[in-house]
Each structure stands twice: as structure tokens, then as C-alpha cells.
Amino acid sequence: MSQPATYDVKFLCQLLVRAKKLTVDQAKTAMGESTHVRARILKDHANTEVRRRAHYDVTPAEVLADFEFVMPDGRALDEDEIMLVIAEDSGLLFEKPDPLKLNADLITETMTRPFARRHTCVPLRKADGKVVVAIDNPYDRQLIRDLYDLIPADLTLVISSKDDIQRIITEIYGFRSSISAATEYASNRTDLGNLEQLVKMKTESEIESSDQHIINAVEYMLQHSYDTRASDIHVEPKRESALIRFRIDGVLHDIQQMPMVVHRAVVNRIK
């Protein structure tokens, strides 16, 4: 693996030129305009959850992908193509995370959302007794040491794009935290009929602040269904919890579970 003194646009351009993904002229253009592109990306993310909740660090891969260069073979140089080159250089495998194969319990129990968000890393699954963790920067040796200290199991590191990792963090942690907050609120109420108040439309001034938890949970669920191209969303009440299932290409997939105490509020919000 090439160990850069600084993982920056120049280093990444050199990798891509050697891999025949960029021409020398394209690399010169990227290095000359990278500062302006970085500033524009930061501006574009100014109002996103990532930017509001944590410092947003624009990666060299994001900068290069933003140019939308055409590679010598005629295909677009997108972030996944860039990460493939980084994976090859680092000796790790590239993986495009499958939203339908994510283990939400593993993700939320292994690391906190602030840690995952700040370091752009997320556990994907357990395989052969090992926890598979996606990262976007294999040159961050401190992060790798921290992951081995944090996770009491054998690790397999894979390379994924920052966009894919951050989307998983938003949807999995976002849904879980919203449901947990709504459940805590609902469980502390003696009149469960007041759950109706959690899902009224915001045209009424008396709506309680915890209404936002239900709204957020539904928004995360809808975004997740959009990303997976689901045709149907099933919210199925069971004895102790409600099961959320997406129909994708005609097949129903189990996606999430939520306590029954917030089931009606979520369903009414959708209605």
C-alpha cells in the first residue's frame, strides 16, 4: 500500500493516473481547481444533518468525483470507481453495501453514531465470526487502531464510498434514535390515547415537541425505501413489536422492528 504523508487530492490523482482512470491533463485540472470545488461541496452540505451535527470534512474522493471526469474507457469517474482504486492500493476489498443485508442491531450496538459519523465507518455484518466494517480512508492508521480497540472481535475491513457509509449512518441511527425517543415519551404517558397528539399535522399550535420524533422516524423510513427502490412498505403489528418490511422486486424483506407502543403513531403519521 502507498502510505501518503498526506491523503490529499494530489496523492489521489497520482493513484488514478497510475491506474489509468485519469489522464495527466485531467489530474492537473483537478489539482488546480480542487480548492474551489471543496468550498462548493461544503456550501452544498451546509444544511444537511451531517453538517449541522458534526464538522463536515470533504474527502479527496468527493472532490475528484465532483469533476465528473470521463475515464479513458469512456465511463464516468464516480466515487465508487475512485474507491475501487483506493481499495486496490490498500490491499482491501471494495464493497457496495446492500441496504437489505445490514444488521441494524449490530450497527447501533457496536459503535455510537457520533463515532461512526466523525470517522465515516460502519459495521455491515458478521461473517465467519468476524465483524465486517466499511471505511472510506484506509490511510487513517489511527482510526484502524481505534476500531481494533473498540470492537471486541476479529475485524474485516472493506472499502466503501463515503456517500454510502454516511447514508447508512443517517438511516439506521436516525430511525432507531427517533423511535427510541418516541417510545420513551409514549411509555411515560398514562393516557396512551395522547399518542394521537404525536402525529397531528403541524398546523396546530398545541403540538408537543416530541411529535418530531415520529416525523423523523417516518422520514428516515421513507428515505430508506427510496434508496432501496421499494415498491411497498409494510408495517405489520406483531405480539410485542411491529415489523417493517419493504417489497423490492416482488419480494418482501424484513428491514426494521419497532415497539408496539409507537406503532399506531407511525401508521397514523403515514396516513
Side-chain angles (χ1 to χ4, degrees):
M1 177 177 70
S2 306
Q3 185 60 49
T6 303
Y7 173 43
D8 56 13
V9 170
K10 179 180 178 180
F11 167 78
L12 188 51
C13 281
Q14 292 170 343
L15 274 187
L16 292 169
V17 169
R18 286 202 299 268
K20 298 184 175 9
K21 301 291 185 179
L22 272 187
T23 66
V24 173
D25 287 342
Q26 288 171 327
K28 289 179 179 178
T29 297
M31 287 186 284
E33 300 179 13
S34 62
T35 300
H36 299 295
V37 171
R38 185 184 300 274
R40 181 167 53 75
I41 293 174
L42 276 175
K43 183 178 179 181
D44 290 343
H45 283 82
N47 294 317
T48 64
E49 180 191 13
V50 180
R51 180 66 170 161
R52 290 195 306 268
R53 295 180 180 272
H55 173 66
Y56 190 88
D57 182 25
V58 181
T59 66
E62 284 182 284
V63 172
L64 267 295
D66 191 80
F67 282 95
E68 299 182 343
F69 287 126
V70 176
M71 296 186 293
D73 64 5
R75 294 180 298 124
L77 181 68
D78 59 17
E79 198 169 351
D80 282 347
E81 286 289 337
I82 294 170
M83 301 316 294
L84 277 165
V85 173
I86 290 175
E88 183 176 354
D89 179 66
S90 64
L92 300 176
L93 294 177
F94 169 81
E95 181 168 331
K96 185 77 172 173
D98 184 346
L100 299 178
K101 295 181 179 179
L102 296 175
N103 186 329
D105 289 332
L106 175 68
I107 291 172
T108 55
E109 292 170 4
T110 299
M111 62 182 64
T112 64
R113 175 162 56 174
F115 182 92
R117 180 75 80 196
R118 183 170 64 253
H119 297 292
T120 308
C121 58
V122 69
L124 300 179
R125 63 185 178 280
K126 274 190 175 180
D128 300 325
K130 296 183 177 182
V131 177
V132 179
V133 179
I135 61 175
D136 79 323
N137 182 3
Y139 309 111
D140 187 345
R141 311 311 297 176
Q142 184 59 53
L143 169 60
I144 294 175
R145 286 192 291 268
D146 289 345
L147 286 173
Y148 277 96
D149 290 339
L150 175 68
I151 302 174
D154 290 337
L155 298 186
T156 296
L157 300 178
V158 297
I159 300 296
S160 299
S161 73
K162 178 180 179 179
D163 184 62
D164 283 340
I165 294 173
Q166 292 290 351
R167 184 183 299 114
I168 291 170
I169 293 168
T170 295
E171 292 172 0
I172 298 297
Y173 287 96
F175 181 85
R176 284 296 180 94
S177 64
S178 297
I179 288 296
S180 295
T183 301
E184 181 179 359
Y185 173 85
S187 299
N188 290 332
R189 300 297 292 252
T190 57
D191 179 9
L192 291 184
N194 283 332
L195 270 175
E196 299 286 337
Q197 299 299 320
L198 289 175
V199 290
K200 285 183 179 178
M201 298 302 290
K202 284 195 169 181
T203 53
E204 297 183 34
S205 60
E206 74 273 19
I207 289 181
E208 301 169 6
S209 62
S210 49
D211 171 51
Q212 191 61 45
H213 301 312
I214 294 296
I215 293 174
N216 288 343
V218 172
E219 287 181 349
Y220 287 126
M221 181 175 63
L222 293 176
Q223 183 61 51
H224 194 178
S225 70
Y226 174 81
D227 290 338
T228 56
R229 296 183 172 87
S231 60
D232 302 79
I233 300 174
H234 293 243
V235 183
E236 304 174 3
K238 304 295 183 181
R239 182 180 295 275
E240 296 180 353
S241 62
L243 178 63
I244 297 173
R245 308 175 79 193
F246 292 171
R247 186 182 301 279
I248 302 169
D249 295 331
V251 179
L252 280 173
H253 299 268
D254 296 351
I255 300 298
Q256 288 271 15
Q257 289 187 341
M258 62 183 174
M260 280 300 295
V261 71
V262 296
H263 167 260
R264 180 174 296 179
V266 168
V267 170
N268 285 346
R269 179 65 192 175
I270 293 172
K271 291 180 178 177

